[in-house]
Amino acid sequence: MVTVDSRLKWNDTGTDLIQGKQYRYRATGSWQDWYIVCDVNGYSRWMLWLFGWMRRVPVAHWFQLIGVVDKAMSHPIRMGTEGTFTAPASGRLWVFANDAAFAYGNNTGTIELQVWSAD
């Protein structure tokens, strides 16, 4: 289990993935974007739709937990409270709260993430 800090642009999970292999995960807790509290599923607000392109992963919710391999943004893994994913590449799994790259200063809170092989 690893603690994921919402203020950090990159959180090292300590988990090395193998391309094509399936993994399970579970994330617990909540974190806060300015005054909005949410879990790792993130949130959406109609008043923010105009700024959605500013998120590091624009197709994912604000503050949704995102995983990437070796900090490469080419194949982001959109995560929620629990589920499975297939590793898009081999390498280290890094995660972050999906926010605008310049806006991590007003984030607070941490969540706990567990990742393990589905085999």
Side-chain angles (χ1 to χ4, degrees), residues 13-97:
T13 66
T15 301
D16 292 320
L17 304 178
I18 299 171
Q19 183 176 10
K21 189 170 181 175
Q22 279 216 320
Y23 294 86
R24 293 194 54 73
Y25 66 87
R26 180 176 299 120
T28 58
S30 62
W31 43 22
Q32 189 168 328
D33 184 10
W34 191 25
Y35 67 91
I36 301 169
V37 178
C38 64
D39 64 13
V40 298
N41 291 311
Y43 69 91
S44 61
R45 294 282 193 274
W46 67 268
M47 63 199 133
L48 294 174
W49 73 269
L50 190 60
F51 303 103
W53 63 272
M54 299 172 85
R55 292 183 297 247
R56 290 170 69 190
V57 179
V59 297
H61 290 296
W62 291 102
F63 256 59
Q64 184 172 2
L65 181 63
I66 303 294
V68 295
V69 179
D70 290 336
K71 298 184 182 178
M73 297 294 290
S74 54
H75 300 289
I77 303 163
R78 295 168 55 180
M79 302 169 86
T81 52
E82 65 180 281
T84 61
F85 66 88
T86 301
S90 293
R92 180 61 58 102
L93 177 64
W94 294 79
V95 294
F96 57 86

